[in-house]
Amino acid sequence: MLQFRLRFFAISLLFVICSLLNPSATMAQKEKKTVLYLNSYHDGYQWSDNVLEGIRNVLTESEYMIDLQIEYMDVKKYNYDIIKTTLYTLYKEKFKYEIFDVVLVSDNDALSFVHEYRDKLFPDVPIVFCGVNGIETVDLAMGNITGVIENFDLAGTLDIARELHPHKKRMIVFGDDSITGHAIAKQVENKMLLSDPDLHVEFWFSLSVEETVKRVENLPDDTFLFFTPWYQTVNGRFFTTEEVMEEIYAHSKVPLYTSWDFLLGHGVVGGSMLSGAKHGSTAAQIALQVLHGQEAETIPIMIEEAGSYMFDYNVMTRLDIDQSLLPEGATIINSPKIFYELSKELFWTIMISFFLLFTALLFLLIAMSERRKMERQALEQLSFLETLMDSIPQLVSWKDLQGKYLGANRTFIEFFGIDSIESMRDKTAKDVVSDKDYGNWSTQADAAVIKERRPFRKMRRHLIDHSGTSGWLEVNKVPLLDQAGKIVGILSTAENITKEQNLEKQLIQSQKMEAIGTLAGGIAHDFNNILTSIINSTELAMGDVEPGSQTEKDLQRVLRAARRGSRVVKQILSFSRPSSEGFQPTDIAQIIHEVLGLLDASLPANIAVNLEIDSEKMMVNSDPTQIHQVILNLCTNAFHALREVGGTLGIGLSTVCLDIEQAVTMNITDGEYVKMTISDSGHGIDSEIIDNIFDPFFSTKDITEGTGLGLAVVHGIIKGHKGAIKVHSAPGEGTCFEIYLPKSQDNDFPADADTITIDQGNLTILFVEDDEDQLNSVPRILREMGHTVIAIQDPIIAIEQAQLQKDAIDVIISDYDMPAMNGTQLAKTLEDFPIILVSGREDAIIAAKKQPNIIKTIIKPYDKQDLKVALGAKYDKE
């Protein structure tokens, strides 16, 4: 059995090492968080060092990678009111580029500093305090703050002091003149009123060591001392609290008590002690709640009260205190070690017996050493292999010949939401995997591996994990063989390729759009020439027939059909080769209101509109007309899904910040985006066709309701705006489109363009066009408008004619694509003439910007009204 297990894991190790060669496998890392610890005191002050120890112990064991930055204010040595402005100047410069997830504050001086300078140093950063004396010192109105109050157990300490010294009637409290010292004194006063109002209390604060020593030497026997953390400066030299206490203890004949465990061992009898380490760990646990996403003000402030009785054996011996009076379970330090309390005869009998037993055990261990050595090596190998299995990001599992699990690595267990390895042993994939289809397939694949005695590799399978999330796995299954070549089990590995699958879909969609764009760009010019000739000839023909006649109606239908054809071409170009021409700062909320205004009249009563906009003026740099079309197309689709049974049409608008990982999955850059959601509660989209909904001419509607270009146009426009679009849908659960557009930092709307006044006077126009149909139709339209037209097909001849009639020609209308030269080359040759450029491609707009004498660009097909507006621009330029 042992040989089988070793062989099994050796094969597994070999397979895992090969799998690790996969460059896509990466080690999972903890999420990084930055925490600032603002300490009122200095490094080496035992109380705050213990608090820091408690904080570190909790944060180190958390699920985050904590970057703990520690700042010491040193107010025990230096006056807080003097150094606070200097500290603010230092921290302002130091933290200029720092971003903290939470700020931990220790003791009252640091809390006072945060009260005064938080808005300037740490705006909106959650604050967690500890070591603070008195809840009244916390300004809860500042918001986003919580923590733990240092509520030392004075009552417990007084109870034991009065128990050990029943004749004591007077207590003297020592402390310094710091903010913390005054806060502790206030707490003592309040607690005395409740715990022992008959006890006479005196406060000795801000005394020098010399004066304090003189006073304690002559204290009456009915007195005991209560010591609070106290720092002292003598002749420019700093004395710690422990040093001051030891000096007082050396000159005092009365007992000394305290409620802080770090002071024990320096002259105090003891008391009910407050633990700095426990205090810090409590604050750190609160900080972790904040890092998990809980609002700080929703976490109740904890009032921690010490309850651990601790005493010093040496001090009690000096004062002749009866240890039997101590509370049950109390801790005593410095007590002598009990080693020899038995009689010599019994002691040596036990020792000899122990020696004989030890000798017998030694011989037994020597006899078993070789076997133990082999077992230890085997266990070490197994432990190494298990550790290695758990460290790789791939899903690894192994089964017996019946398809029952023998084991799996941690990645497998976490992916499928399994409680433990023990809970899945002796179970099949059907029992373990929540996705029944995947479980059935896995069982069949295991059977095929055993039957055909060969591995199956790179099998891609779709599944729904235990959390309900859709994903893809790339699975490998290989047979496990023993030394005789007999199959004894199946080893399976799988890699989560959900992200790669999504990126592959996006690449295929982009390739489709690129192919359509190449086709559309190739046919647009010639098709628009044809449509221009149809439109212009139809307008001319309508002028030659009797108004209201059947012929005029027929011609109007021809004109409408031609214009509808031009819109189809523009739609194809808009989703295949979107242009940034006309982009400007645009308020998405305003466009949503405009679209809803258009839809309001047509929406039936059984469709409710749910509008949720976080704030107005969410600006993006976009073409307002294109964004209007996106919203209208999606709302129209939602209307079609709801019109039979009714329901809810939801429109939401908010601001989100995408990190690098989120942005990569949508093939956009990370940063701040405006997120727009358009959803409906309709019948949803089948999973078989959801990957095709953005394909051009793909439609599930009747031919009379659409061309299949709606969503393709939406996709092209969003991509042209450097954004992303996602769809979530399932049959019977409605559909939700999420659109992400880069947020603009420009909040100013573009000024309205001046109204162009079209002059109706007579112009002499040189019309240059290589298409014979347009050469015959457009000049007639211009002449009917009252202008004189010279129509020339060859651009070379047109240049010669323009130079001969330089003073007579007012404006030149030229096609962009001509055999001899293009329109911009003609404009460059005739720089003294205003040029109106005509083209069937939008590329001409960009080319025209390079030539200053091109005053207007008309995109084919165009009609009489377009010509009027273009000629009006000639006057506007003048």
Side-chain angles (χ1 to χ4, degrees):
M1 183 63 185
L2 178 61
Q3 291 180 347
F4 168 72
R5 292 183 65 186
L6 290 175
R7 191 180 306 113
F8 172 79
F9 279 102
I11 296 173
S12 302
L13 175 62
L14 179 62
F15 185 85
V16 168
I17 292 174
C18 295
S19 301
L20 287 174
L21 296 177
N22 187 346
S24 64
T26 57
M27 296 293 292
Q29 294 183 349
K30 289 184 177 181
E31 181 181 1
K32 188 170 184 179
K33 298 290 185 180
T34 304
V35 177
L36 172 65
Y37 173 44
L38 192 60
N39 191 330
S40 295
Y41 308 133
H42 55 276
D43 187 18
Y45 183 54
Q46 193 60 42
W47 163 256
S48 55
D49 286 355
N50 291 345
V51 172
L52 177 57
E53 179 186 358
I55 290 173
R56 275 192 167 138
N57 289 340
V58 172
L59 296 184
T60 302
E61 296 298 324
S62 72
E63 65 269 36
Y64 300 109
M65 182 184 293
I66 303 294
D67 181 8
L68 182 62
Q69 183 167 337
I70 306 168
E71 296 292 338
Y72 294 98
M73 296 176 61
D74 216 9
V75 298
K76 284 290 186 184
K77 296 181 180 180
Y78 306 101
N79 186 281
Y80 169 76
D81 292 326
I82 295 176
I83 66 172
K84 66 178 183 179
T85 55
T86 304
L87 289 174
Y88 164 69
T89 303
L90 170 65
Y91 293 160
K92 181 180 180 182
E93 187 64 26
K94 193 172 183 179
F95 302 149
K96 183 187 298 183
Y97 303 109
E98 293 282 350
I99 299 176
F100 298 109
D101 298 295
V102 68
V103 174
L104 279 165
V105 175
S106 173
D107 294 280
N108 291 70
D109 297 278
L111 181 63
S112 298
F113 184 81
V114 169
H115 282 166
E116 188 169 355
Y117 297 108
R118 177 187 184 183
D119 291 340
K120 299 176 182 177
L121 294 176
F122 323 111
D124 301 325
V125 179
I127 304 296
V128 177
F129 60 81
C130 62
V132 172
N133 299 96
I135 194 170
E136 68 277 2
T137 62
V138 183
D139 183 10
L140 297 177
M142 69 189 300
N144 208 8
I145 184 170
T146 188
V148 54
I149 297 295
E150 180 184 330
N151 188 29
F152 57 91
D153 187 12
L154 179 62
T157 301
L158 290 180
D159 288 343
I160 192 62
R162 299 298 292 273
E163 177 71 17
L164 299 179
H165 315 283
H167 64 283
K168 304 292 185 183
K169 299 179 181 179
R170 179 184 179 210
M171 181 177 72
I172 298 175
V173 182
F174 291 86
D176 59 20
D177 198 32
S178 65
I179 293 177
T180 301
H182 286 289
I184 293 176
K186 186 67 175 177
Q187 283 182 290
V188 171
E189 290 179 353
N190 294 336
K191 289 174 181 289
M192 288 303 302
L193 295 174
L194 299 175
S195 61
D196 199 347
D198 297 330
L199 185 66
H200 178 70
V201 181
E202 291 182 25
F203 293 92
W204 290 3
F205 277 53
S206 303
L207 300 180
S208 66
V209 176
E210 294 83 359
E211 184 177 359
T212 304
V213 168
K214 289 179 182 180
R215 290 191 182 189
V216 299
E217 285 179 339
N218 301 311
L219 288 173
D221 290 337
D222 65 344
T223 305
F224 68 96
L225 310 179
F226 183 82
F227 204 97
T228 68
W230 178 17
Y231 217 72
Q232 183 67 248
T233 303
V234 179
N235 297 326
R237 185 165 170 263
F238 297 98
F239 288 83
T240 65
T241 302
E242 297 89 333
E243 291 173 332
V244 174
M245 179 180 289
E246 289 172 356
E247 184 69 15
I248 294 174
Y249 173 71
H251 294 82
S252 173
K253 297 180 181 179
V254 298
L256 179 59
Y257 287 85
T258 188
S259 289
W260 289 266
D261 65 351
F262 77 96
L263 299 179
L264 191 65
H266 300 281
V268 296
V269 176
S272 180
M273 298 295 188
L274 182 69
S275 169
K278 181 181 177 184
H279 204 69
S281 64
T282 303
Q285 289 167 359
I286 295 174
L288 287 179
Q289 290 181 260
V290 176
L291 292 178
H292 288 158
Q294 188 170 352
E295 297 291 336
E297 55 263 24
T298 65
I299 304 174
I301 294 176
M302 296 185 62
I303 301 179
E304 182 180 8
E305 187 160 338
S308 179
Y309 285 97
M310 303 178 71
F311 300 92
D312 190 335
Y313 177 87
N314 293 336
V315 178
M316 289 191 296
T317 302
R318 175 189 173 187
L319 297 175
D320 195 22
I321 296 175
D322 186 1
Q323 294 187 33
S324 65
L325 298 177
L326 299 181
E328 184 178 354
T331 301
I332 302 176
I333 68 170
N334 296 327
S335 60
K337 303 294 182 182
I338 299 176
F339 174 72
Y340 195 91
E341 291 185 352
L342 300 175
S343 65
K344 290 184 179 180
E345 294 79 6
L346 180 58
F347 173 78
W348 285 113
T349 301
I350 293 175
M351 293 300 295
I352 292 172
S353 301
F354 176 77
F355 176 76
L356 294 175
L357 291 173
F358 178 77
T359 303
L361 179 61
L362 181 61
F363 279 107
L364 182 62
L365 290 175
I366 292 174
M368 298 176 61
S369 60
E370 288 300 321
R371 180 178 177 181
R372 282 180 170 271
K373 183 178 179 180
M374 294 296 296
E375 290 178 352
R376 190 163 48 249
Q377 290 177 348
L379 290 174
E380 289 175 353
Q381 291 177 354
L382 292 175
S383 177
F384 170 75
L385 289 172
E386 289 176 358
T387 303
L388 183 61
M389 289 283 189
D390 288 339
S391 66
I392 64 175
Q394 288 184 323
L395 286 68
V396 182
S397 63
W398 49 97
K399 307 173 186 174
D400 60 16
L401 292 176
Q402 286 73 42
K404 295 180 178 180
Y405 285 100
L406 299 173
N409 70 342
R410 185 170 300 278
T411 306
F412 182 95
I413 292 174
E414 292 176 351
F415 182 85
F416 287 107
I418 302 169
D419 295 334
S420 64
I421 294 178
E422 288 71 21
S423 65
M424 63 179 288
R425 285 199 175 106
D426 296 328
K427 294 181 180 179
T428 65
K430 295 180 181 179
D431 304 320
V432 171
V433 180
S434 58
D435 189 322
K436 299 303 179 184
D437 292 338
Y438 182 85
N440 292 332
W441 171 83
S442 180
T443 302
Q444 294 171 3
D446 292 338
V449 170
I450 295 172
K451 181 179 180 181
E452 301 183 22
R453 298 179 58 85
R454 66 180 181 88
F456 290 83
R457 304 184 187 277
K458 295 187 178 299
M459 299 179 290
R460 292 193 173 190
R461 293 294 301 180
H462 176 266
L463 80 163
I464 306 297
D465 66 14
H466 68 285
S467 63
T469 304
S470 176
W472 285 85
L473 292 179
E474 186 173 83
V475 184
N476 301 305
K477 289 181 178 289
V478 299
L480 292 175
L481 308 177
D482 61 9
Q483 290 181 344
K486 182 180 178 181
I487 297 179
V488 295
I490 308 103
L491 178 66
S492 301
T493 65
E495 184 174 359
N496 190 343
I497 59 168
T498 305
K499 293 182 181 179
E500 291 83 349
Q501 194 78 1
N502 292 336
L503 290 174
E504 186 177 322
K505 288 181 181 179
Q506 293 180 15
L507 177 60
I508 293 173
Q509 185 67 27
S510 298
Q511 290 173 340
K512 290 179 181 178
M513 295 300 102
E514 184 177 355
I516 293 296
T518 303
L519 174 64
I523 67 173
H525 177 258
D526 292 338
F527 192 60
N528 282 332
N529 276 343
I530 296 171
L531 290 174
T532 300
S533 298
I534 294 173
I535 291 172
N536 293 336
S537 298
T538 303
E539 287 181 335
L540 288 171
M542 288 175 65
D544 295 336
V545 301
E546 183 178 350
S549 64
Q550 184 62 43
T551 302
E552 185 187 46
K553 294 179 181 178
D554 293 338
L555 291 174
Q556 286 176 345
R557 282 195 297 273
V558 173
L559 193 59
R560 285 196 299 270
R563 287 173 176 162
R564 190 162 58 250
S566 71
R567 286 195 296 271
V568 172
V569 174
K570 288 181 179 179
Q571 281 186 322
I572 295 174
L573 290 175
S574 69
F575 72 75
S576 61
R577 292 184 179 177
S579 170
S580 60
E581 184 71 23
F583 278 25
Q584 62 188 37
T586 305
D587 183 4
I588 301 296
Q590 180 179 347
I591 298 180
I592 290 175
H593 289 306
E594 291 176 358
V595 172
L596 289 180
L598 291 174
L599 293 174
D600 186 55
S602 58
L603 286 176
N606 64 344
I607 297 179
V609 177
N610 183 17
L611 182 63
E612 295 183 3
I613 298 178
D614 286 358
S615 64
E616 300 293 330
K617 237 183 178 184
M618 292 195 185
M619 307 298 292
V620 297
N621 191 35
S622 67
D623 184 336
T625 303
Q626 292 183 10
I627 298 300
H628 188 283
Q629 184 177 7
V630 166
I631 300 172
L632 185 61
N633 284 2
L634 294 178
C635 288
T636 301
N637 284 350
F639 164 72
H640 288 161
L642 298 172
R643 60 185 172 181
E644 294 182 1
V645 296
T648 302
L649 166 62
I651 302 178
L653 195 64
S654 60
T655 301
V656 297
C657 190
L658 300 180
D659 57 29
I660 295 178
E661 183 177 356
Q662 292 172 316
V664 166
T665 60
M666 292 186 283
N667 199 23
I668 54 179
T669 59
D670 58 307
E672 196 171 14
Y673 284 77
V674 171
K675 176 185 176 182
M676 177 170 57
T677 59
I678 298 178
S679 61
D680 64 73
S681 58
H683 48 70
I685 304 174
D686 292 335
S687 58
E688 291 80 5
I689 65 171
I690 196 168
D691 291 336
N692 305 110
I693 61 174
F694 293 111
D695 291 350
F697 307 110
F698 178 84
S699 177
T700 60
K701 301 176 184 177
D702 187 83
I703 192 171
T704 61
E705 293 185 338
T707 62
L709 292 174
L711 289 179
V713 169
V714 169
H715 184 276
I717 291 174
I718 298 304
K719 288 298 182 182
H721 284 72
K722 301 186 185 304
I725 182 169
K726 295 171 63 177
V727 59
H728 306 283
S729 184
E733 297 181 5
T735 304
C736 178
F737 288 89
E738 294 180 358
I739 296 172
Y740 297 85
L741 296 171
K743 188 174 182 181
S744 172
Q745 302 303 321
D746 189 354
N747 292 326
D748 295 329
F749 292 95
D752 294 335
D754 296 334
T755 302
I756 299 175
T757 303
I758 302 175
D759 193 291
Q760 300 298 329
N762 182 274
L763 297 174
T764 300
I765 301 171
L766 177 60
F767 183 75
V768 186
E769 172 63 69
D770 64 319
D771 186 86
E772 188 171 347
D773 290 336
Q774 294 180 56
L775 197 67
N776 292 329
S777 60
V778 177
R780 288 177 57 195
I781 293 175
L782 292 171
R783 292 187 183 103
E784 288 184 358
M785 292 166 57
H787 304 296
T788 302
V789 182
I790 304 171
I792 298 176
Q793 189 173 22
D794 189 339
I796 305 299
I797 299 175
I799 291 173
E800 295 175 357
Q801 187 67 30
Q803 292 172 344
L804 290 174
Q805 303 186 43
K806 185 175 183 179
D807 296 333
I809 295 174
D810 297 307
V811 65
I812 299 175
I813 300 177
S814 173
D815 188 24
Y816 176 68
D817 295 290
M818 295 182 292
M821 65 172 61
N822 62 37
T824 55
Q825 292 173 331
L826 182 141
K828 186 175 182 180
T829 304
L830 301 174
E831 292 182 342
D832 296 333
F833 292 88
I835 307 292
I836 296 175
L837 197 63
V838 178
S839 177
R841 296 184 296 157
E842 293 191 357
D843 296 347
I845 298 175
I846 299 174
K849 291 181 179 179
K850 300 177 181 179
Q851 198 59 39
N853 62 322
I854 297 179
I855 61 173
K856 185 72 176 179
T857 302
I858 305 175
I859 300 300
K860 296 178 182 179
Y862 59 90
D863 55 17
K864 182 187 296 185
Q865 184 62 30
D866 296 328
L867 290 172
K868 287 183 179 181
V869 173
L871 292 172
K874 185 263 180 189
Y875 291 97
D876 185 57
K877 289 289 182 179
E878 294 178 350

